[in-house]
Amino acid sequence: MKYVVAVIPGDGIGPDVVQATLEVLKALGNTFSLSLDFKYVEAGDAAKIRYGVALPDESYQTISSSNACLKGPVGESAKQVIIVLRQRLNLYANIRPAVTLPNVPSLYNDVDLVVVRENTEGLYKGIEDKTSEYAFSVRVVTREASIRIAKIAYEMAMKRRRKVTIVHKANVLSSCELFSKCCLDVAKDYSEVETDQMYVDNASYQLVKNPQRFDVILTTNMFGDILSDEAAGVVGSLGVSPSMNLGDQFGLFEPVHGSAPDIPKGTANPLATMMSARLMLEWLAEKYRDGAMKEASGILWDAIVQTLRKKIFTPDLGGSSTTKHVANAVIEEIAKAV
Ligand code: NAI
Ligand code: MG
């Protein structure tokens, strides 16, 4: 089968980390005869300057008619690109693993958790207004969206350590009360899974003090946004933190991080994007029952881990390698695997 993958290079470090990832995917594709057809799509700050809109219609059409999307970070126009794509494509589950990796300097050496973030509503629903004197953003929580994200979290927990922590602020926010209630309703169908609940302020504290206690963190949109950056910090860097935005039919894969305007050109860590691409291969493999794709995703993961074992690190991990060095090292490891 031929897979069409829409590719958004994005802004800032986006084009560099995406280019590095495509080179790796092409090496992998040649080795495993994968038929991946990459279609470049413009979206983000640069697109906004060029076309007046951050997500041109043509880009949206290409993305929505592809099998999957690989996205680099965009800049200040994130709201008009990724928030819109999540809502329009109904990518209701944002899944963000945070795992300790070999040799990567981190606070602990045994963290393995995943943030499951509701991705279509909450404070990012877009119901807001502002004047010079007041502004508001409405936090929307519905039963339907809460139930469907909770099901994803519990299904995921069944394949992991069977523990879900529901994170909210129900002592203060009515919207969180409903979220918590819906999650507990879903929990009733998963008696093998241990459930606990935590207020988000305590959760952010526990994430630093005792992150090993978490398996699956189930939470609302903005809390998930914040906690996943924090989890990235706990395991070492946003540069090694991938994510997937999943709906029932479509998947968009992107690093957790943004366009990192503060770092020198050519020094960004491409591994978060490569790891996101690996999640994409796994997702395609499962969806289309494609054994070669599954094998390729395993080889890509091993190549990334081997590169880390050799301490080929960009500056965020304490090294001096460039984005290109890391890509070449991963490609070398893929070649060895044949
Ligand atoms: P950021 O994630 O770009 O950067 C946070 C920190 O992590 C910075 O110190 C940065 O240098 C570092 N970092 C991030 N990715 C890295 C990588 N691959 N290698 C090495 N270091 C890395 O967050 P920030 O600064 O808040 O946002 C910058 C821009 O990105 C903003 O315009 C924001 O709107 C946008 N953004 C876009 C997102 C998306 O497209 N999904 C997500 C988050 C932010
Ligand atoms: Mg974020």
Side-chain angles (χ1 to χ4, degrees):
M1 156 142 190
K2 186 172 182 166
Y3 302 97
V4 177
V5 176
V7 176
I8 304 175
D11 302 308
I13 62 171
D16 282 354
V17 294
V18 167
Q19 183 56 33
T21 301
L22 289 185
E23 278 164 22
V24 163
L25 286 178
K26 280 173 191 161
L28 202 60
N30 292 339
T31 310
F32 287 88
S33 312
L34 302 178
S35 191
L36 292 166
D37 179 9
F38 299 112
K39 286 203 169 149
Y40 283 88
V41 166
E42 288 179 89
D45 296 356
K48 194 167 177 178
I49 292 167
R50 197 156 168 197
Y51 305 104
V53 281
L55 181 64
D57 274 346
E58 199 186 322
S59 298
Y60 180 77
Q61 293 311 330
T62 306
I63 296 164
S64 60
S65 58
S66 301
N67 295 101
C69 177
L70 181 66
K71 178 186 159 297
V74 297
E76 286 305 300
S77 57
K79 180 179 176 182
Q80 296 137 56
V81 178
I82 187 62
I83 303 290
V84 170
L85 286 172
R86 287 168 183 159
Q87 290 180 4
R88 280 184 76 179
L89 296 166
N90 207 13
L91 306 175
Y92 60 87
N94 196 328
I95 294 165
R96 302 183 146 187
V99 184
T100 317
L101 293 157
N103 288 337
V104 171
S106 62
L107 296 181
Y108 304 90
N109 60 12
D110 51 358
V111 176
D112 179 4
L113 62 88
V114 59
V115 176
V116 175
R117 158 187 175 191
E118 201 292 319
N119 215 23
T120 58
E121 55 181 31
L123 264 173
Y124 295 175
K125 181 76 179 172
I127 302 177
E128 38 185 23
D129 200 5
K130 64 175 181 209
T131 69
S132 58
E133 298 308 312
Y134 76 92
F136 63 79
S137 305
V138 177
R139 190 171 195 267
V140 180
V141 169
T142 64
R143 166 165 278 276
E144 187 192 358
S146 303
I147 296 272
R148 68 184 177 181
I149 193 65
K151 283 183 180 163
I152 296 282
Y154 277 86
E155 284 299 321
M156 187 154 284
M158 288 297 287
K159 295 185 198 145
R160 297 174 46 96
R161 301 197 307 281
R162 300 194 171 187
K163 184 170 175 192
V164 171
T165 304
I166 308 165
V167 172
H168 54 70
K169 188 77 182 176
N171 52 343
V172 176
L173 299 170
S174 305
S175 49
C176 272
E177 252 180 75
L178 177 62
F179 182 74
S180 159
K181 188 175 178 319
C182 294
C183 294
L184 291 174
D185 282 349
V186 171
K188 287 181 195 144
D189 296 331
Y190 293 87
S191 54
E192 308 92 324
V193 178
E194 182 191 341
T195 297
D196 65 354
Q197 300 195 65
M198 210 178 266
Y199 295 132
V200 65
D201 36 0
N202 182 26
S204 57
Y205 174 72
Q206 296 296 335
L207 201 47
V208 172
K209 290 291 278 186
N210 186 18
Q212 301 90 339
R213 74 174 302 295
F214 294 109
D215 179 20
V216 176
I217 293 175
L218 164 59
T219 193
T220 52
N221 204 341
M222 190 185 190
F223 293 163
D225 190 0
I226 297 167
L227 291 177
S228 51
D229 268 40
E230 191 185 353
V234 170
V235 300
S237 175
L238 275 167
V240 289
S241 298
S243 82
M244 35 188 186
N245 296 261
L246 300 182
D248 291 328
Q249 300 302 329
F250 193 74
L252 181 151
F253 302 80
E254 61 173 351
V256 168
H257 63 73
S259 61
D262 57 332
I263 57 174
K265 174 119 186 89
T267 65
N269 191 340
L271 291 180
T273 309
M274 290 182 197
M275 289 173 176
S276 304
R278 174 248 176 177
L279 291 172
M280 177 178 80
L281 300 186
E282 244 180 12
W283 179 81
L284 286 170
E286 205 153 299
K287 182 167 161 66
Y288 297 100
R289 297 174 196 277
D290 185 332
M293 191 64 87
K294 176 91 193 154
E295 196 189 345
S297 81
I299 297 288
L300 175 53
W301 179 248
D302 292 344
I304 290 169
V305 168
Q306 278 308 110
T307 302
L308 292 171
R309 283 194 203 287
K310 287 159 80 181
K311 295 197 181 176
I312 298 172
F313 287 166
T314 41
D316 59 310
L317 301 182
S320 57
S321 296
T322 62
T323 310
K324 283 202 173 107
H325 285 144
V326 174
N328 290 340
V330 174
I331 291 168
E332 247 176 59
E333 293 300 328
I334 290 170
K336 278 190 211 162
V338 187

